[in-house]
Amino acid sequence: MAEIIQRDGTWTFDGDTVRVVPGSKVHPVRQDLGELAIPVQALAGISFEPDRKGGRLRLRLRTGACPVLRAADGRLKDASDPYQLAVEKDRTGVAEYFVDEVRNALVIEQVPDTPAEGFLLPGPSLPVSGGGGDGTASFDGETVRLTWNWKAAESKTSGGSVTFPVSEVTGVRWLPAIGLENGYLRFERGPGGSSAPPKFDPYSLELWGLSRKEYSAVLVAAAVLTRLPRTGTAPELRAADRAKAAVPPADDHDVLLRRLRELGELHQAGILTDDEFSTAKQAVLRRL
């Protein structure tokens, strides 16, 4: 078991799952997501980036494994990224040990860094809601609801709140406010979607970037994505991962001995270097 406890949150790793518990004063997106359990099959890598104040742990997930990252499309700020942890200066050694343990598991489990075929993590807990400049979006798993405030354009408020089933949604896109440009949360219904500006589109929420809470709209987008066809209905495993799930627990000696043989074969084939083989072998032996 590897564990690192910081003001920013707590990460633990038991050889199969990285468990992320956010701190009490983190970004609203991380607060709303709450505790996360990331199976090793969803990971593509991990790193520790030291700096003069300590450093930062970063989990790198396989492309397509997490609905929140897919909805954000690389636009999450560091503070709102649930897969980062600020590390204090006196805990850098613990962070480096944590990285080694996760990397060893990735080698032992032979986890590919290729894109996942479906979501390997569930979406945000339901119901979920996110505020914007001109209203609030909410989703209960079946129905999307957009409620306007007094700042919304008359073309939106004149028709009242908008409600539609997720079965009618063909796409969803989240874009945060960047600089002087407003962002939006847009729901597409039908081919091509709407060409109206988000300010006047009754199926879009404008994001003005005036509050960190606006970022929570990305959680609504992520929750809806998990319900759309062909995007994974959380959590789905690839066929290879489902086969692994049928294997006895990792502390089963037969399983661990088989993994040792596999590591030896990879080493003999030149796929693993001497150092990689030695590190991975020691990690297996510790679990025997």
Side-chain angles (χ1 to χ4, degrees):
M1 171 77 75
E3 181 178 61
I4 180 166
I5 302 173
Q6 297 291 274
R7 285 175 293 183
D8 200 34
T10 299
W11 287 14
T12 58
F13 180 60
D14 62 6
D16 298 304
T17 303
V18 177
R19 194 166 298 277
V20 172
V21 180
S24 60
K25 297 182 179 179
V26 296
H27 192 281
V29 167
R30 294 171 63 187
Q31 288 179 340
D32 291 348
L33 272 176
E35 182 175 330
L36 300 174
I38 304 109
V40 70
Q41 290 85 3
L43 296 176
I46 184 173
S47 63
F48 174 63
E49 303 167 359
D51 58 35
R52 61 185 181 83
K53 293 183 179 180
R56 186 174 296 274
L57 272 173
R58 295 180 188 267
L59 284 175
R60 183 167 61 88
L61 272 64
R62 293 171 59 191
T63 301
C66 173
V68 175
L69 294 186
R70 178 166 176 178
D73 195 22
R75 298 185 180 93
L76 283 181
K77 295 179 180 178
D78 281 356
S80 62
D81 188 339
Y83 304 112
Q84 297 189 30
L85 181 73
V87 177
E88 296 162 23
K89 199 167 187 178
D90 63 345
R91 279 298 193 253
T92 57
V94 178
E96 290 169 350
Y97 172 74
F98 195 97
V99 168
D100 288 342
E101 290 296 292
V102 174
R103 285 179 176 170
N104 290 342
L106 290 174
V107 173
I108 293 169
E109 298 291 343
Q110 300 178 39
V111 179
D113 60 2
T114 53
E117 294 182 4
F119 292 134
L120 302 181
L121 293 172
S125 299
L126 299 174
V128 61
S129 65
D134 60 355
T136 300
S138 60
F139 179 56
D140 62 7
E142 298 292 336
T143 303
V144 178
R145 183 179 180 86
L146 299 177
T147 305
W148 314 116
N149 60 32
W150 64 274
K151 302 171 188 175
E154 185 178 354
S155 60
K156 290 182 175 180
T157 58
S158 61
S161 299
V162 176
T163 302
F164 49 93
V166 70
S167 59
E168 295 181 0
V169 178
T170 58
V172 58
R173 180 170 169 78
W174 173 81
L175 179 71
I178 302 175
L180 299 177
E181 294 292 327
N182 290 340
Y184 56 82
L185 172 65
R186 187 193 292 274
F187 298 94
E188 298 175 357
R189 302 174 71 205
S194 173
S195 60
K199 180 176 181 178
F200 305 110
D201 181 6
Y203 301 111
S204 295
L205 195 69
E206 264 208 306
L207 305 177
W208 297 344
L210 302 178
S211 167
R212 294 199 311 169
K213 191 66 176 176
E214 280 192 18
Y215 255 68
S216 294
V218 72
L219 302 183
V220 180
V224 171
L225 275 178
T226 66
R227 298 305 196 276
L228 298 187
R230 297 181 298 278
T231 61
T233 53
E236 289 184 356
L237 296 179
R238 298 179 307 111
D241 296 328
R242 286 196 296 271
K244 284 185 178 181
V247 173
D251 57 359
D252 186 298
H253 282 204
D254 290 339
V255 174
L256 293 176
L257 289 173
R258 186 164 63 250
R259 286 178 181 168
L260 279 176
R261 289 195 295 271
E262 292 171 350
L263 289 172
E265 293 170 358
L266 291 171
H267 182 231
Q268 291 179 355
I271 296 173
L272 293 180
T273 65
D274 291 345
D275 288 342
E276 289 172 337
F277 172 66
S278 177
T279 300
K281 182 176 71 173
Q282 291 302 317
V284 174
L285 291 175
R286 283 199 297 271
R287 297 170 67 182
L288 276 171

